[in-house]
Amino acid sequence: MNLNLNNKLPREFYVRDTLTVARELLGKIFVRILDGKILAGRIIETEAYIAGEDESAHSSRGKTKRNATMFEEGGLLYVYFTYGMYYCSNVVTNEKGKGDAVLLRSIEPLEGIEIFAQNRFGKTEITGKEKRNLLSGPGKICMAYKLTKAEDGTDLLGDEIFILDASTVPENKMVQTTRIGISKSKELPWRFYEKDNPYVSRK
DNA sequence: ATCAAGATTACCT
DNA sequence: GGTAATCTTGATA
């Protein structure tokens, strides 16, 4: 896998309309340099959470200690803890003070697969089925990339965690549908994924 | 101080 | 398809 680590998405990519960013993040490469090793995968499923109109966004009732990162400038990583055992990662979008973010729901593993496997299953040799299960969910992504509360607020324009530009998924290969695992604002069609990609978290 | 819900996952039938 | 696991957070008193 030959990745150009200098090809980071610029600040302007993130500081835009949240639904546009959620769409355009599909196909981009999410990277973490951990202990000198490269962990990388292709983002293939996202969900938008937008303050104000969206009852299920953490930011919908204003700023709190937990969601403070959502109100920062676009291009930061928002990580939160849920269900007593899992973390979920989001990309903050739009201008400072807005409270918008895009949840990373599924990633197709590209590089550092043995490390992902170690972090997820405690072993480095995995089957094809296990490979499809590596990063196919927001909690799984955090386990595999070792993202926790400590990474909340990390700037994606820094040199530890960042997203590389790559070709955008075309409209005819993109599916837009309702979001998963929420109880409020269920009707909003703010989930996006790449059609026919075997790593999608759920149909 | 108390309490219910939660942007999930793994494992069971 | 169903549900247990596990605990922080935000809302209410």
Side-chain angles (χ1 to χ4, degrees):
Chain A
M1 196 67 215
N2 49 337
L3 295 171
N4 177 3
L5 298 180
N6 296 314
N7 201 19
K8 281 175 202 160
L9 293 173
R11 180 75 62 199
E12 305 83 66
F13 178 91
Y14 302 104
V15 185
R16 289 187 298 162
D17 168 73
T18 302
L19 291 175
T20 302
V21 178
R23 258 184 262 269
E24 294 190 13
L25 272 175
L26 296 184
K28 307 298 191 232
I29 315 298
F30 185 68
V31 181
R32 178 170 197 190
I33 310 294
L34 187 62
D35 302 324
K37 305 275 180 53
I38 298 171
L39 300 177
R42 190 165 166 272
I43 299 168
I44 58 108
E45 182 179 344
T46 61
E47 281 179 357
Y49 287 86
I50 302 177
E53 18 181 341
D54 177 9
E55 278 288 303
S56 70
H58 291 164
S59 52
S60 69
R61 287 178 202 173
K63 192 167 169 177
T64 64
K65 189 175 177 184
R66 175 216 220 182
N67 68 22
T69 301
M70 284 186 87
F71 290 88
E72 292 300 313
E73 182 178 35
L76 268 64
L77 190 72
Y78 167 49
V79 184
Y80 68 87
F81 185 63
T82 190
Y83 288 106
M85 56 191 110
Y86 299 112
Y87 290 95
C88 292
S89 285
N90 303 253
V91 172
V92 177
T93 58
N94 222 320
E95 290 165 18
K96 187 179 171 90
K98 276 283 198 176
D100 293 2
V102 172
L103 174 70
L104 300 178
R105 271 208 68 90
S106 188
I107 291 177
E108 175 181 341
L110 293 178
E111 186 156 335
I113 291 174
E114 292 194 349
I115 299 168
F116 286 143
Q118 184 64 43
N119 294 342
R120 286 272 292 128
F121 309 123
K123 59 181 183 179
T124 54
E125 298 282 309
I126 55 170
T127 63
K129 189 178 176 182
E130 286 172 322
K131 187 179 176 185
R132 281 189 299 280
N133 192 29
L134 263 190
L135 309 173
S136 55
K140 300 173 189 178
I141 290 170
C142 289
M143 268 185 262
Y145 278 89
K146 286 203 167 179
L147 297 169
T148 68
K149 199 71 198 154
E151 283 70 38
D152 179 42
T154 302
D155 191 351
L156 296 172
L157 275 88
D159 55 12
E160 190 200 349
I161 304 171
F162 46 88
I163 303 178
L164 301 177
D165 198 5
S167 58
T168 306
V169 171
E171 279 295 326
N172 65 335
K173 288 194 112 180
M174 190 183 299
V175 178
Q176 175 170 8
T177 182
T178 51
R179 297 171 296 177
I180 293 177
I182 52 173
S183 59
K184 303 172 210 160
S185 300
K186 278 179 164 167
E187 71 287 354
L188 297 171
W190 290 353
R191 173 176 177 235
F192 303 91
Y193 64 88
E194 185 178 40
K195 192 177 182 179
D196 298 327
N197 189 306
Y199 294 93
V200 168
S201 71
R202 190 187 151 211
K203 279 292 203 181

